[in-house]
Amino acid sequence: MADKANPGALTDNSERLFSFGVIADIQYADLEDGYNFQGSRRRYYRHSLVHLQGAIEDWNKESSTPCCVLQLGDIIDGFNAQYKTSEESLEVVMNTFKMLKVPVHHTWGNHEFYNFSRDYLTRSKLNTRFLEDRIVDHPETIPSENYYAYHFVPFPKFRFILLDAYDLSVLGVDQSSPKYQQCMKILREHNPNTELNSPQGLSEPQFVQFNGGFSQEQLNWLNEVLAFSDTNQEKVVIVSHLPIYPEASDNVCLAWNYRDALAVIWSHKCVVCFFAGHTHDGGYCEDHFGVHHVNLEGVIETAPVSQAFGTVHVYPDKMVLKGRGRVPDRIMNYKKEKALN
């Protein structure tokens, strides 16, 4: 495949440290093509698996093998639940991932919760928390079992944090539980519509059922990890199914309390990049604090003739996203005070 930009021209002055793969919204189902809820976008349920196979072949062949792949959530489609094929479809996708030579970190999105309960996901192969790194003598950086989040170090002085954007959600939780009641209360306070997936008339359109949010407990934990990274001059990449920056996303797709997450991130210097899925359209913006928000284009709405994944090459002064198909290339420079001379 021809390069859209010559990476050599971009990176002559610095040495590549490591690379990682990114892919989002595979939403596989053994179904004929369909459309999104509005009927405006074609969805290629069966072909998404072919796209995944192509991405894995590419990653396996790269001269600088990625250290890992970040799967940004919605690995199988919600239609599987309707057809009672959830476990079968998940098995098909997980068997495909077995062809990959490096570890995959799985993020959970709304479609995981359409198919499975949170308890099921915790016991499943989609729980990759066993890949976490623990920080010795810093128990405050160990995540609670109440949400699915963890951090790991793919390369010295770089820390990746996976967040649980459905920690506050009415999806995948027992309707008799206090957590469900609390989340339904939050949702109804912001969304008076009978159809809770409809943002119609909302001043804050992110308050729909297919989104979720971050509990205060999880945000406190994130704050502790970022404080450690600040102190130790680490650069941090955050991963979430839901985006948190309005300028990089359709407002309907944001996390419920995206402002709270931004407030934590902006109170630290270490965060370089925030990767999310969910929007299918993709999006990008560097915020005022120099954090690069990358919303990856979704595999599910990618035509068979195209592709949708990327490899991020990490350098001492920047990250370079090499996109495939409809994922564009991006150069993401670190904040000036963070650059290494």
Side-chain angles (χ1 to χ4, degrees), residues 286-300:
E286 180 181 356
D287 69 30
H288 304 306
F289 291 83
V291 179
H292 299 273
H293 295 265
V294 181
N295 298 344
L296 216 67
E297 287 72 8
V299 170
I300 183 62

Side-chain angles (χ1 to χ4, degrees), residues 55-76:
I56 290 170
E57 281 168 26
D58 245 49
W59 284 320
N60 283 343
K61 282 191 308 209
E62 285 196 23
S63 54
S64 163
T65 309
C67 67
C68 65
V69 167
L70 308 177
Q71 188 276 112
L72 303 177
D74 285 5
I75 197 168
I76 64 171

